[in-house]
Amino acid sequence: MTMLPLIAALPWLGALLLACLPADARRTSTWLAGAVALAVAGLNFALVPAVFGGEVPVWSVSWLPVLGLDLGFRMDGLAWLFVMLIGCIGALVVLYAAWYLDADEPVRRFFIYLLMFMGAMLGIAMADNLLLLVLFWELTSLSSYLLIGWWHADPTDGRDARLGARMALTITGAGGLCLLAGVLLLGEIVGSFQLSAVLAAGDTIRASPLYVTALVLVLLGAFTKSAQFPFHFWLPHAMAAPTPVSAYLHSATMVKAGVFLLARFYPALGGTEEWFWIVSLTGMATMVFGAYAAIFQHDLKGLLAYSTISHLGLITLLFGISEPLAVVAGMFHIINHATFKAGLFMAAGIIDHECGTRDMRRINGMWKVMPLTATLGMIAAAAMAGVPLANGFLTKEMLFAESLAKQTHGAMEWLLPTGALLAATLGIAYSLRFVHDVFFNGDSVDLPRQPHEPPFMMLAPVMLLAALCLAVGIVPSLTAGPVLAVAAQAALYGTPGPALPAYSLALWHGFNLPLLMSGVAVVAGIGLYVGLQRFINLHRLVTLPGWFAAGGRELFHVLLGAGVAAARGITGLLQNGSLQRYLLLLVLMALAAGAWPLWSAPLAWPALHLRDLNVAVALVGTVGIVAALATTVMYRKRLIAVVMMGATGLVVCLTFAWFSAPDLALTQLLVEVVMTALMMLALRWLPDESAPERHVSATGQGLARLRWIAWRDGVIALACGLGMAALTWQLLNRPASSISDYFLQTARSLGGGSNVVNVILVDYRAFDTLGEITVLAIAALTIRAVLTGWQPRLPPTQGYNPLMPQLVARLVLPLALLVSVHLFLRGHNLPGGGFIAGLVLALALVLQPVAHGNDWAEARLGGQRGRSFNRWMARGLLLAVGTGVASFWFGAPFMTSTYDYPWLPGVGGVPLASASAFDLGVFMVVVGSTLAMLMAMARLSSSGSR
């Protein structure tokens, strides 16, 4: 169904449109962001007949069918619920943020980040492929990092924002790596990464010996994202974000991603003893700890953060109980918590916005000056506490009922209801503190601002959320019943099928034990709060009492410091600034990797004979060997060494030509020319000869060490040379059959070209080529960045030569352009192609600054600071990627190519392959990156010589 990719793509398209707006387009940015959120909710609502009718709409495009990787989305009841929460609460948050953020805030950028996060969350909810889910999972961590650190430059709160963002990214990012590992194991067990296949293979997964490992890894991902104990500590520090971020990320969406994962994987992983003990105990510990810690917070958002941790633990506990009705209760609390906690955060943000502080020891008596805000805040707080007539009361009673009903695990029969009662009691206490300390408890103390009611539009989202809390609490079967039914069905069974167990959504179920527990919790919670205020005075406490003061934050800093210290030690050991050491370690690792297979499984060595040796080939090879040895002997004569290295490369080029590889020979020849040009430009800043050994070290000990290093390097080089010779000999004597036969037979029929090498590069392995040209562009940009602004210490050895035949350089350019076009056009059927053609044109272009000077060439070739080179690379990459993406339009996998031979009168059949467009992108990247690197060096030479 095409509506699914549209829903998933809307936030990303909105963010792209926002990026095109002027930075000060505040009103337009707000309208656009709000329209995107409403469009997501509206399109999702249009799927009600299908989803509520028992269908599961699916849309997918094949990506790598052999590996089971598809770009696909599905919409079952669970996904529908989360998409509706993301869209609806997102729209309210946009409206709220428009009035909350100050006039000097970059609102456009804020909404770009917010839409990016919305898109990532929609991807998690709708992904029909586990690897795609992990991709969007990581995108939520990255986008939330940007939002949490929004005020990173603020002189007052910047440090907290940076700390909170870094902590959230570290914890959730580590959990994401665990989730990736777990998903890979699930794919290995099931044989597919398709979500529907994984959900249907629950029995197979639970019977696998890899089940426990996969379960733990997936749960680590869920627990870190949903701030479960002991990973809870990042969430309170994330409160450094603006309140709209807290209302969206940390109540309704991001932290819900973890419990969404529990619901999503419940049919595949749930129902076992391992699931019960790990999930239920983690949920109970989080629920009780979060509720306890919330009581002692002085920061208003800190109290709400710990209460969020507690309620996330409650949802986790319900899923951990692993009973159908407990899962239904968990899904119901996901809905309820999103409504009342988003409203509470918005009310807290209003108070902070109007008072200038969130310190509950100062913001007392708000009922007098902000009665409407106080009323809405108390309704949301009542829902959080589980007071009758509010939606939180219903799920609290369901929690009590399910904790009492679990009668199969010994001590857990009393531990579950005891923990639930304790958490409910603490929940009453911290909710009462929120209401009493903020809205009553005397008068305010030394407020930075004089508070008053906010504008109506800022209060409107809170009013709507408070109304939903009451509506769901009073008539739950009419308001939340249908949504809960389809969401719980998907969470329990994965696909429509078995009927849900009977349950009743009603405000009154008669006098029973859960109702008694609710009454006890209310009375005990009120008594606890009154006792704490009278005998301890919460306002005087600076930190949490007892061992709770040493929380996960301190442990995080200790581990982070130890990790940084270890990294510095390893870096100092391996990366001391010596290029010789880097090369030594690289060569040793390569030598070990190559020697290990031979050591573990010795090979049979065929006899070496010379009867088929060609004398010409032997002579050419001898020249290459002599040139390589001369390079090592004459390394102090830098110019001679460069020439000898070029001679070695030429011999390699001739070798390719001898083995009938003209494409490789052309590429090798042109690369040698480029490398020689780079070295010659670099040599202008070096002395003609390197310093002799006696100048390097005047002591005998130092001289002996240098000689030992020379012998060591010689032995390593000899070992590597012999190893490569042995490997080459084994390859030359292997069986003749290889994958090359497949390429030779199918290059024409499948790729539409006779040049097998080029067809492989732009068709069969186009994705590899895309990665290679991306690396090439990055390398060029890095070189330009490193050399920009660098001032050499010494002048160049020679000045600019005005006798350079400028006329020849100008004549070479059109000829080279013609040759380049010729090589490009024939590349699909004859030796040539985009890479070779790009090198030819780039070398001709780089002759211009050599002949006419850098300023002349930049004015005609590079533009302002060589930006045209960057545009060449950018457009080439876009063209290459666009060619691959275009295949989606025809329902084919990424980078699928096609070809045709249209008949033109008087010309005949003209070969046209879509891969030629990709090859054109390669051509543009090669030209831009080669010129960027060479011109960066030429600029140094020319600027220093005038």
Side-chain angles (χ1 to χ4, degrees):
M1 182 176 289
T2 55
M3 195 176 295
L4 300 184
L6 180 59
I7 294 174
L10 266 176
W12 302 102
L13 294 176
L16 183 61
L17 289 176
L18 281 174
C20 297
L21 293 176
D24 57 349
R26 183 186 182 100
R27 178 171 297 182
T28 306
S29 300
T30 303
W31 279 106
L32 180 57
V36 168
L38 289 175
V40 167
L43 292 175
N44 190 55
F45 189 77
L47 295 172
V48 165
V51 176
F52 283 61
E55 300 179 20
V56 180
V58 176
W59 176 90
S60 66
V61 172
S62 181
W63 175 265
L64 292 174
V66 176
L67 300 179
L69 300 182
D70 296 328
L71 175 64
F73 301 103
R74 73 195 298 267
M75 184 68 75
D76 58 6
L78 179 61
W80 190 93
L81 168 63
F82 270 82
V83 171
M84 189 58 70
L85 288 176
I86 294 165
C88 292
I89 296 184
L92 296 177
V93 167
V94 169
L95 175 61
Y96 178 83
W99 294 88
Y100 177 87
L101 296 173
D102 294 336
D104 57 346
E105 294 276 5
V107 172
R108 180 183 65 100
R109 180 157 54 90
F110 178 84
F111 285 136
I112 289 175
Y113 294 166
L114 196 71
L115 290 182
M116 289 169 56
F117 177 81
M118 182 186 296
M121 279 300 304
L122 290 174
I124 291 176
M126 299 170 58
D128 192 31
N129 186 282
L130 298 189
L131 294 179
L132 186 63
L133 185 150
V134 174
L135 171 65
F136 284 114
W137 185 276
E138 293 303 315
L139 287 176
T140 60
S141 297
L142 293 174
S143 53
S144 65
Y145 170 80
L146 297 173
L147 287 168
I148 295 171
W150 177 254
W151 281 325
H152 63 92
D154 188 274
T156 304
D157 302 322
R159 182 179 180 276
D160 292 337
R162 293 190 297 271
L163 173 63
R166 184 170 67 246
M167 193 177 294
L169 180 64
T170 303
I171 301 301
T172 60
L177 293 176
C178 295
L179 175 62
L180 174 60
V183 160
L184 293 177
L185 288 180
L186 289 177
E188 177 69 21
I189 296 171
V190 179
S192 172
F193 292 105
Q194 206 70 19
L195 180 61
S196 55
V198 172
L199 297 180
D203 294 336
T204 303
I205 294 172
R206 287 184 283 267
S208 170
L210 297 174
Y211 166 71
V212 175
T213 305
L215 173 66
V216 171
L217 290 170
V218 171
L219 290 180
L220 283 173
F223 291 164
T224 51
K225 188 75 81 173
S226 281
Q228 297 297 291
F229 184 88
F231 310 108
H232 62 280
F233 53 87
W234 70 264
L235 183 57
H237 292 279
M239 294 302 112
T243 299
V245 175
S246 301
Y248 195 42
L249 273 67
H250 306 134
S251 62
T253 51
M254 177 180 172
V255 292
K256 290 293 195 306
V259 292
F260 170 83
L261 201 67
L262 296 179
R264 177 55 80 203
F265 282 102
Y266 181 82
L269 300 176
T272 64
E273 289 295 301
E274 294 86 356
W275 172 280
F276 170 77
W277 287 106
I278 297 174
V279 179
S280 62
L281 290 178
T282 300
M284 181 179 297
T286 306
M287 178 178 66
V288 174
F289 170 79
Y292 175 84
I295 300 175
F296 300 97
Q297 302 302 308
H298 300 312
D299 183 359
L300 186 56
K301 285 176 64 176
L303 183 149
L304 296 179
Y306 277 103
S307 71
T308 297
I309 292 172
S310 178
H311 283 271
L312 291 171
L314 186 156
I315 298 170
T316 302
L317 172 60
L318 287 169
F319 280 104
I321 291 175
S322 199
E323 296 291 342
L325 288 180
V327 173
V328 173
M331 293 304 305
F332 193 20
H333 199 65
I334 288 175
I335 301 172
N336 293 337
H337 181 260
T339 54
F340 68 69
K341 190 54 64 69
L344 279 169
F345 269 114
M346 290 182 183
I350 290 173
I351 295 168
D352 181 20
H353 189 270
E354 298 299 325
C355 297
T357 179
R358 300 195 304 260
D359 193 338
M360 290 190 292
R361 293 167 295 186
R362 301 168 63 186
I363 52 173
N364 312 127
M366 290 296 106
W367 171 264
K368 300 175 184 177
V369 292
M370 304 170 66
L372 184 54
T373 302
T375 301
L376 297 174
M378 285 189 287
I379 293 173
M384 179 172 64
V387 174
L389 300 183
N391 56 358
F393 172 75
L394 301 175
T395 44
K396 184 177 71 173
E397 286 216 323
M398 295 174 80
L399 169 65
F400 290 150
E402 293 308 310
S403 65
L404 291 168
K406 194 70 173 179
Q407 301 289 331
T408 58
H409 290 81
M412 293 295 284
E413 295 180 9
W414 61 267
L415 186 60
L416 284 173
T418 301
L421 181 60
L422 178 59
T425 300
L426 296 171
I428 293 290
Y430 65 68
S431 299
L432 189 58
R433 185 182 181 194
F434 175 87
V435 172
H436 179 255
D437 278 9
V438 175
F439 303 121
F440 303 101
N441 199 23
D443 297 323
S444 57
V445 179
D446 192 23
L447 295 180
R449 304 172 190 165
Q450 180 60 41
H452 53 77
E453 290 286 8
F456 174 79
M457 298 304 293
M458 189 175 182
L459 205 55
V462 191
M463 297 172 65
L464 180 59
L465 292 168
L468 284 174
C469 291
L470 294 177
V472 174
I474 297 172
V475 284
S477 59
L478 295 178
T479 52
V483 176
L484 176 60
V486 296
Q489 173 82 29
L492 274 171
Y493 307 116
T495 56
L500 288 173
Y503 63 91
S504 173
L505 291 181
L507 180 62
W508 176 254
H509 292 95
F511 292 101
N512 52 26
L513 190 52
L515 180 63
L516 176 61
M517 294 175 69
S518 294
V520 171
V522 171
V523 174
I526 295 174
L528 175 63
Y529 176 71
V530 172
L532 289 173
Q533 285 288 62
R534 174 167 298 184
F535 299 108
I536 296 180
N537 191 351
L538 294 173
H539 287 185
R540 294 182 179 178
L541 290 177
V542 178
T543 60
L544 285 174
W547 63 273
F548 287 102
R553 180 185 65 180
E554 287 71 20
L555 179 60
F556 173 81
H557 286 309
V558 170
L559 294 177
L560 186 63
V564 171
R568 285 175 177 169
I570 296 174
T571 302
L573 180 65
L574 300 179
Q575 298 186 3
N576 63 342
S578 171
L579 296 178
Q580 186 180 26
R581 175 176 291 191
Y582 301 160
L583 186 60
L584 173 66
L585 294 174
L586 180 64
V587 171
L588 284 176
M589 291 298 295
L591 183 62
W596 174 253
L598 300 178
W599 181 270
S600 57
L603 299 176
W605 295 95
L608 179 63
H609 57 81
L610 302 177
R611 60 176 178 269
D612 295 327
L613 180 63
N614 186 288
V615 178
V617 173
L619 290 175
V620 172
T622 303
V623 171
I625 295 172
V626 171
L629 292 175
T631 303
T632 62
V633 174
M634 303 294 294
Y635 72 92
R636 290 195 183 91
K637 304 284 187 179
R638 290 192 169 101
L639 182 58
I640 297 177
V642 170
V643 173
M644 291 297 102
M645 289 179 63
T648 306
L650 182 60
V651 169
V652 175
C653 173
L654 293 174
T655 304
F656 287 140
W658 171 258
F659 283 104
S660 301
D663 282 275
L664 296 180
L666 276 172
T667 304
Q668 176 69 27
L669 179 62
L670 293 169
V671 168
E672 284 295 328
V673 174
V674 172
M675 293 302 299
T676 302
L678 274 174
M679 291 182 180
M680 295 299 291
L681 289 169
L683 287 182
R684 290 175 61 83
W685 300 102
L686 296 173
D688 292 336
E689 297 185 9
S690 61
E693 292 177 352
R694 62 178 180 272
H695 291 164
V696 175
S697 176
T699 64
Q701 184 178 3
L703 186 59
R705 181 174 180 275
L706 287 176
R707 289 175 177 170
W708 179 86
I709 291 175
W711 278 101
R712 179 202 65 187
D713 294 346
V715 171
I716 295 174
L718 181 62
C720 290
L722 292 175
M724 289 302 299
L727 179 61
T728 303
W729 183 244
Q730 286 285 343
L731 290 174
L732 290 175
N733 288 276
R734 66 176 179 169
S737 61
S738 70
I739 195 174
S740 60
D741 295 333
Y742 170 79
F743 291 133
L744 291 170
Q745 295 169 7
T746 61
R748 182 75 176 180
S749 59
L750 297 182
S754 303
N755 184 0
V756 180
V757 174
N758 186 261
V759 172
I760 291 174
L761 291 176
V762 300
D763 192 334
Y764 289 103
R765 302 189 63 179
F767 196 74
D768 288 346
T769 305
L770 177 61
E772 290 166 1
I773 62 175
T774 303
V775 171
L776 182 62
I778 293 172
L781 293 174
T782 303
I783 291 174
R784 286 181 58 84
V786 169
L787 296 180
T788 298
W790 179 66
Q791 295 295 330
R793 296 181 180 179
L794 299 175
T797 57
Q798 298 180 22
Y800 170 69
N801 184 6
L803 299 179
M804 180 69 189
Q806 300 179 3
L807 179 60
V808 173
R810 295 188 186 185
L811 292 176
V812 165
L813 182 58
L815 179 61
L817 179 60
L818 182 62
V819 172
S820 176
V821 172
H822 173 70
L823 289 172
F824 173 79
L825 292 177
R826 67 179 244 160
H828 211 56
N829 292 288
L830 294 170
F835 192 88
I836 294 172
L839 287 176
V840 170
L841 181 58
L843 287 170
L845 290 173
V846 85
L847 278 178
Q848 307 309 309
V850 176
H852 300 88
N854 192 67
D855 296 337
W856 183 94
E858 276 207 351
R860 291 159 177 81
L861 302 178
Q864 187 179 3
R865 294 188 177 181
R867 289 177 182 173
S868 66
F869 305 147
N870 298 346
R871 287 195 289 268
W872 272 72
M873 290 185 282
R875 290 167 182 168
L877 287 173
L878 286 175
L879 180 59
V881 174
T883 304
V885 174
S887 58
F888 288 153
W889 184 265
F890 301 96
F894 182 64
M895 287 290 181
T896 302
S897 67
T898 185
Y899 68 93
D900 195 6
Y901 284 82
W903 184 270
L904 297 181
V907 177
V910 178
L912 291 178
S914 62
S916 297
F918 177 84
D919 208 16
L920 181 59
V922 174
F923 170 82
M924 297 176 69
V925 173
V926 170
V927 172
S929 56
T930 305
L931 282 173
M933 291 185 285
L934 292 175
M935 291 291 289
M937 294 295 296
R939 183 182 299 108
L940 288 178
S941 300
S942 62
S943 63
S945 61
R946 298 186 182 182

